[in-house]
Structure formats: structure tokens, C-alpha cells
Amino acid sequence: MQRQAFQPYRDAFPEDVRASPETFQAHVEDLTRRDVKIAYHKNLQGYLWEDGYKSGAYSTPLFPDVAPRLRKWKDEGVQLAIYSSGSVFAQKLLFQHVSVHDSAAGKKIIGSHSAEDAESTSAAADGEGVVMAEPSKQVTDMTDLISGWFDTTNAGLKSEANSYSKIAATLNVRCTSCSS
């Protein structure tokens, strides 16, 4: 992680928590533990996730039967979409870096990560859907399987029926349970 790239994320935090690295870390860990949804914290998490995934420190674990099933559904014409309170950016990172257990997992291996790659990254994330990459673990990009990416920003809150109507309309599917 480059110090210069990290600086704007750190500077977005309140001045008092930037007094020392220990104070900053304690504050970030507290926000993470309490699952606080505040912009400067979420932006830092996104930066750390991206850095961790790109460096190979993180990969997305799936049970061995999940990737082949998703591929089968896609091949059969089933439209797959994700609606999560996590950002579309985070969703795509997860699916771009799926741990490969066997050749049936996905379309294309985009690389493998060595233990040295994982050890060289000091990024930390809140751990949701993220694991440290295993030595020589291969990862694959499975974003081609997903037809729609939705979060509370582009679809609306999960507690609002209109959010589901918006998703259905975007995917061009009839929604008999949605009410506007």
C-alpha cells in the first residue's frame, strides 16, 4: 500500500483520531466492530479491499459447489443478480477474485498468489466475505456470471418495496410481489 495513496483516506477521519497510528487504528477497529456506516470509514474500507484483492492478500471463498452451479445457471439462461447493502464496487471485487478449488469454478484464471504476496500487504478490512489468500491459491474473475449489480445507492433501501420494483424493471422481469 502506497503511503501517498492512503493519505487522503486517513485525512478524511476526524483530526483527533489521527493523533497517532495507534489512536487511528483503535478508532477504525471500533467503527468496524460496531459496523458503523460513515462515509470516511466506508471509503477507507473500499480502498483497503481493493488494495488487498489486487495484491493477492484477499480472495473470495466459495463452497466448492457454488461456482459450478452459478456457471450452470448462467449457461441455462438464468439471469443472476446481486442486491446487497455492500456497495456495487465491493460486490464486483468479491466476484473478480474468487478462490478456485478446481477447474469447474470459473471461466478464466487471472493469477495465483504466493505467500510472499499475501505477507507483503498490510491492508485490513472488516472481513465480510474476505479471507487471506492461501499460498499459491488461484483466483478467477466470475463477474461475467452476474447480469445486475444492486446496492442501497442504486436500488434503494432493502426495506422499501420500490427498491425491488426498480431492480425488476432494470432486469426487465415481471415482479408480481412488488408494489410501487
Side-chain angles (χ1 to χ4, degrees), residues 1-10 21 47:
M1 182 180 344
Q2 295 180 358
R3 183 179 180 92
Q4 198 171 27
F6 175 76
Q7 198 68 34
Y9 297 97
R10 182 185 173 278
Y47 168 72

Short mmCIF file of all heavy atoms in Angstrom, two decimals, residues 1-10 21 47:
data_model
loop_
_atom_site.label_atom_id
_atom_site.label_comp_id
_atom_site.label_asym_id
_atom_site.label_seq_id
_atom_site.Cartn_x
_atom_site.Cartn_y
_atom_site.Cartn_z
N MET A 1 0.85 -1.17 0.00
CA MET A 1 0.00 0.00 0.00
C MET A 1 0.89 1.23 0.00
O MET A 1 1.79 1.34 0.82
CB MET A 1 -0.89 -0.03 1.24
CG MET A 1 -1.83 1.10 1.32
SD MET A 1 -2.92 1.13 2.77
CE MET A 1 -2.84 -0.47 3.44
N GLN A 2 0.65 2.13 -0.92
CA GLN A 2 1.47 3.32 -1.01
C GLN A 2 0.96 4.37 -0.03
O GLN A 2 -0.22 4.67 0.02
CB GLN A 2 1.44 3.87 -2.43
CG GLN A 2 2.05 2.94 -3.44
CD GLN A 2 2.00 3.54 -4.83
OE1 GLN A 2 1.47 4.62 -5.04
NE2 GLN A 2 2.56 2.81 -5.78
N ARG A 3 1.90 4.92 0.72
CA ARG A 3 1.56 5.92 1.74
C ARG A 3 0.82 7.10 1.13
O ARG A 3 -0.16 7.59 1.69
CB ARG A 3 2.83 6.36 2.45
CG ARG A 3 2.60 7.33 3.56
CD ARG A 3 3.94 7.68 4.22
NE ARG A 3 3.76 8.61 5.28
CZ ARG A 3 3.58 8.28 6.55
NH1 ARG A 3 3.57 7.02 6.89
NH2 ARG A 3 3.42 9.19 7.47
N GLN A 4 1.27 7.56 -0.03
CA GLN A 4 0.67 8.72 -0.68
C GLN A 4 -0.79 8.44 -1.08
O GLN A 4 -1.65 9.29 -0.92
CB GLN A 4 1.49 9.09 -1.90
CG GLN A 4 1.25 10.49 -2.39
CD GLN A 4 2.27 10.86 -3.47
OE1 GLN A 4 2.79 10.00 -4.17
NE2 GLN A 4 2.56 12.13 -3.58
N ALA A 5 -1.07 7.25 -1.56
CA ALA A 5 -2.43 6.89 -1.95
C ALA A 5 -3.34 6.76 -0.73
O ALA A 5 -4.53 7.05 -0.80
CB ALA A 5 -2.41 5.58 -2.74
N PHE A 6 -2.78 6.34 0.38
CA PHE A 6 -3.54 6.15 1.62
C PHE A 6 -3.89 7.48 2.30
O PHE A 6 -4.93 7.60 2.96
CB PHE A 6 -2.71 5.27 2.58
CG PHE A 6 -3.30 5.10 3.94
CD1 PHE A 6 -4.37 4.25 4.14
CD2 PHE A 6 -2.78 5.78 5.03
CE1 PHE A 6 -4.92 4.08 5.40
CE2 PHE A 6 -3.32 5.62 6.30
CZ PHE A 6 -4.40 4.76 6.48
N GLN A 7 -3.05 8.48 2.13
CA GLN A 7 -3.17 9.75 2.84
C GLN A 7 -4.55 10.41 2.77
O GLN A 7 -5.08 10.81 3.79
CB GLN A 7 -2.08 10.72 2.35
CG GLN A 7 -1.84 11.88 3.28
CD GLN A 7 -1.19 11.45 4.60
OE1 GLN A 7 -0.39 10.52 4.62
NE2 GLN A 7 -1.57 12.10 5.66
N PRO A 8 -5.18 10.52 1.60
CA PRO A 8 -6.49 11.17 1.55
C PRO A 8 -7.55 10.44 2.39
O PRO A 8 -8.44 11.07 2.96
CB PRO A 8 -6.87 11.15 0.07
CG PRO A 8 -5.63 10.84 -0.66
CD PRO A 8 -4.70 10.16 0.28
N TYR A 9 -7.46 9.11 2.45
CA TYR A 9 -8.42 8.34 3.24
C TYR A 9 -8.21 8.61 4.72
O TYR A 9 -9.16 8.78 5.47
CB TYR A 9 -8.29 6.85 2.92
CG TYR A 9 -8.63 6.56 1.48
CD1 TYR A 9 -7.63 6.45 0.52
CD2 TYR A 9 -9.95 6.44 1.07
CE1 TYR A 9 -7.95 6.22 -0.81
CE2 TYR A 9 -10.28 6.21 -0.25
CZ TYR A 9 -9.27 6.10 -1.19
OH TYR A 9 -9.60 5.88 -2.50
N ARG A 10 -6.96 8.63 5.14
CA ARG A 10 -6.63 8.92 6.53
C ARG A 10 -7.04 10.34 6.90
O ARG A 10 -7.62 10.58 7.95
CB ARG A 10 -5.13 8.74 6.76
CG ARG A 10 -4.71 8.97 8.19
CD ARG A 10 -3.17 8.90 8.30
NE ARG A 10 -2.73 9.28 9.61
CZ ARG A 10 -2.58 10.54 10.02
NH1 ARG A 10 -2.82 11.54 9.20
NH2 ARG A 10 -2.19 10.80 11.24
N PRO A 21 -0.74 6.65 15.09
CA PRO A 21 -1.17 5.43 14.39
C PRO A 21 -2.01 4.52 15.28
O PRO A 21 -2.97 3.91 14.82
CB PRO A 21 0.14 4.76 13.98
CG PRO A 21 1.13 5.87 13.90
CD PRO A 21 0.72 6.84 14.98
N TYR A 47 -10.97 1.21 -0.19
CA TYR A 47 -9.57 1.34 -0.62
C TYR A 47 -8.75 0.12 -0.16
O TYR A 47 -7.98 -0.45 -0.94
CB TYR A 47 -8.97 2.62 -0.06
CG TYR A 47 -7.48 2.71 -0.20
CD1 TYR A 47 -6.89 2.91 -1.45
CD2 TYR A 47 -6.65 2.55 0.90
CE1 TYR A 47 -5.51 2.97 -1.58
CE2 TYR A 47 -5.27 2.61 0.78
CZ TYR A 47 -4.71 2.82 -0.46
OH TYR A 47 -3.34 2.86 -0.59
#
